[in-house]
Amino acid sequence: MDLTQPTPRITPDSDERRGFRAWLPYQSTDPCCEPVAHIRAENLSIAYEGHQALRNVNLEINRGCITALVGPSGCGKTSFLMSLNRLTDLIQRCQVTGKLHMNELDVLAQTTDLLHLRRAVGMIFQKPTVFPFSIRKNLELPLREHGTHDRMRLNSGIENVLKQVGLWHEVKDRLDRPAQGLSGGQQQRLCLARALVLSPDVLMLDEPCSALDPISSGIVEDLIVSLRGHYTVLIVTHNLAQARRIADHIAFFWSFEGVGNLVEYGTAQTIFETPAHELTAAYISGARG
Amino acid sequence: MSRQSRHVQEYGTTAIIWMAATMVVIPFLWLIGDLLWNGWTHLSWSFVFSAPQNAGREGGIGPILMSTMLIVGVCMGVAVPMGLGTALFLSEYTRHDHVLGRLIRGSLDVLAGVPSIVFGLFGNALFCQALGLGFSILSGGLTLACMVLPILIRTAEESFRAISREQRLSAAALGLSQPTTIRTILLPAAMPGLLVGGTLGLGRAFAETAALIFTSGYVDRMPESLMDSGRSLAVHIYDLAMNVAGGNPNAFATALVLVGLLLIINLFSSWIATRWTSLNQLPA
Amino acid sequence: MISSSSNISSRSKGDYLLSGTVRLLALMAGGLLLLVVSFLIHESWPALQHIGFWRFFSDPDWYPTEDSYQLTPMIWGTIWATAGSVLLASPLGILSALFCHFYAPPLLSRWYRRMVELLAGIPSVVFGFWGLVVLVPLIGRWHPPGPSLLAGILILTLMIIPTIMLVAHASIAHVPVAYIHSASALGLSRWSMIWHIILPTTKVGLLTGILLGLARALGETMAVLMVCGNVVRTPSHLFDPIRTLTANIALEMAYALGDHRAALFVSGLLLMGLVVLFVSMAEGLRHRNTYVATK
C-alpha cells in the first residue's frame, strides 16, 4: 500500500527546515490503511462564544488507519474530535462551520440523525467515565438503547467485547459489582469496551492514557494498536513517543494567537523524519511547545 | 427499541416537560398579574402613609407599615449580633468537627425546620406570658429573631469559612490579635455573604404571619412604644381577607406593597451576590 | 476543611473578651432549641396530665369547651393536604428542574430559574389570599362549597414546587459533565440519558428536596387556614372542607384557656416532632455521598 497517498494539505513551502531532521531512527509500523477517505473535513472552523478555536481545517482521514492528533494544549484538537460526533452541540454558543463528511453522511447537516451518528462514532475521554452502576449495566445501557433486548445477545455481546479489551478474565466474576470499584486502567478499558459494544465505524480517543499509570497506559496502547484495520481510530495525544509508536498518520495542530490551525498532516514517517513545516520540526524535536 | 419508537419517546417526553414547566409558570403569572391588576388602582402615597379606617376597608396602612418596620427592626437588631457571634464562634473559635460546634450546628438545623406556627406558640408562652411582655412589638420581634437566627448563622458561618486559610495565616504572621484580625480582615472579606444572609433573614421576617398573630397581636393603631401591640403587613392581609367583609381591595394593595418590598430585598441580595462573584473572578 | 483554631493569633485581653462574648452567644443560640422544646413541653404538660395522650385519639369529637379533645380529623386533614401537595409538586418540581437544565434555551432557563426563586420568596399569606379570592370561588363554581382539601392541596403545591425544584436543580448541576458527554457520545437520546444517568445519580438530592418540601407543607399555616374551610371533620373526598393541625392552632389560640390551650401546645409539639423527623432525614441524606454506586 502506498503510504504517500494521503496528501498533506499544507504544502511544504521551502527547504530551510532540513536542519531539523529527525534525530531518532524511525521504525515503520506495518501499513494497514486502505487508501480510502473515511472522514473528510473542508474548511472546518469552530468558534466558542464568537471566539475562534479552530480555523479552516482541511483533512482526509483514511479508513482503518490510526491517526494521531498532536500539538500543544488549546490548539483545537479536542474541539475537532467533538465536532465529529457533534458533541459540540452540547456546548452553549458553540458554532461549527465548514463541511464535514463521514463516508457519504453530511455530519453537520441539520437533518443528520445525531443518535445514529453517535452510535457509529465511539468516543473515549481523558478521564475514564464509567457510569455509577454495575459493569454489566454500563455495557448493557448502550446496547439496549440501540435496540438489543434479547438476554442471550446481550450476554454474548458483553462477553465478546470484554474479551476484546482483555478485561473478561479480570471481571467475569463480578459483572454485577459497581464499575467504579475497578482500577483506573480497568475503567478506561471498560469505557473502550462500552464504545466498542456498539460496533462503531470510527473510534475517537481524547488523551486516553494521560490519566493512567505507565503499565495501564501500555495495556491501553496495545489495545489501540490491535484495533488497526478494524476501526478508523483518531487519537489525541500529548505523548509524541506514543504517537510515533502507534500512529499511521499524524495531524499536527498549532495555535496561532489563540486560534487552532492544522499545520501539517502526513504519514507518521514523513512527519517524524522529514516534516515540511518548521513548527512541526521544532515541536517533534522538543524545541517548541 | 426501534429508531421510530425512540423518536416517539423523545418527542413525548419533551412535550411533557414543556407542559410541566408551563404549568408552573401559569399560576405564578396569574398570581402576580392579579396582584398588580387589583392592587395598583388602590395604591397611592396616601394609602401607604395614612391610617386604616373602618377596620381597614378604607384608609391606608401607615401605622401598619410602621409596626412592621419596628417588629423587623427588633428582630434583626437581636438576631444579627447573635448570629454573627455564633457564626464567629463556629468558624473561628472551634474546629469544624468539635463536639460543641457540631451540637450547636445540629440544633440550629433542627430549629430551621420548625414550623412558624410553633414559633408563635413558643413566643406566646415565653415572651408574652412568662416574661410578661404581653402582645407587643417587642414580643413579636423577639419571636421572629428566634426564627431567622438559624438562617443568619448558617449563611454567616459559610461566608467566614469561605475565606482562605492563607488570609488568616498572613494576618497572624503580621502579629495581629484575633479581634483585630476579625475586624480588619475577616468581617470585610465575609461582608457580601453576610449581607446576602441578612437579606434572606429580612425577607423571612417581612413575610411571616403565623408566628406574629399571638405575639405582636392585631392592633392597627400607630404604635407609641415597643410595648404596644402592632399589626404587621402580613397579618393585616390575613385580617382583611378573613375577618373583614369588603376588605379585599385594600388587602390586594397591601399584598402588592409587601411583595414589592420583598422583591426589592431579593433584587438587592442577588445584586450583591453577582457583584461578589464578578469581583472574585477578577485576576488577583 | 479550614480549621481555624484560635492558636493562630497571639492572645490579648481583647481576645479573651471577644472569645468569651462569642462563646456566650453561641451557647445561647445552641440552647434555643432546648428552650423551645422545654417551653412546649411545659405548656402542654397540663393537657398530657389531665387528658392523657390517648384521649386525643379516642374522644368522640373536638369540643374543647366540653372537655372533648379528638385530634384525629385534624391529623387526617394535615396528612391528606400534605400528601396531595407532595404528590403533585414532586413531579412538577423535578420536571421543571430538568427543563431548566436540558430543554430550555439558555436565556429562558435563566429567567425561569429567577422566576422560581421569586416564587419561593412570596409570603404564604399572599398565596393564601390569592387562593381565597381566585381559587376557592373557581372550585366553588365547579363543585360547592369551594373551601376544600383540593384548594389546600393546590396552594400548597404551588408553595413547595420552588423548594423541590431549586434543590433538584442544584443537585443536577453537580452531575459530572463527563457523564453527560459520555452518554451523548454513546448515542443515548436526551430522555435515555436523563432516565438512566441523571435521575439515578441525583436521586439522593431529589429525595432531599422532596423531604424539605414535605416539611414545609406540613408546617404551613396561613395558606391552608385561608383556603381549606376549617371544618373539623375527617374529609371523605377532595371537595370536603378540612382543618389542619396548624390551622387549628392559629384559629383557637386567641381564646383558648387552661386544658384547651395546653391541648393546642400538644398539637404543636406533635407537629414539631414530625417536621424535625423529616428535616433530619433530609439532612442525613444530604450528608451521604451523592454518587455512591447504585445496583
Side-chain angles (χ1 to χ4, degrees), chain C residues 169-194:
Chain C
H169 190 276
S171 58
I172 293 173
H174 275 107
V175 174
V177 73
Y179 284 1
I180 295 170
H181 282 180
S182 320
S184 301
L186 286 173
L188 262 63
S189 67
R190 185 162 48 176
W191 178 251
S192 292
M193 177 184 71
I194 289 171

Side-chain angles (χ1 to χ4, degrees), chain C residues 17-77:
Chain C
L17 189 67
L18 184 69
S19 76
T21 319
V22 157
R23 212 163 290 254
L24 187 72
L25 287 174
L27 285 176
M28 279 166 68
L32 191 55
L33 178 70
L34 218 59
L35 195 68
V36 172
V37 173
S38 54
F39 255 88
L40 286 180
I41 292 178
H42 175 256
E43 292 287 325
S44 41
W45 195 246
L48 291 173
Q49 234 175 7
H50 299 161
I51 309 170
F53 186 70
W54 292 113
R55 271 187 57 199
F56 288 110
F57 303 96
S58 62
D59 272 4
D61 236 325
W62 174 262
Y63 278 121
T65 43
E66 289 163 28
D67 199 35
S68 180
Y69 294 100
Q70 194 204 29
L71 281 176
T72 333
M74 269 87 86
I75 294 176
W76 278 117

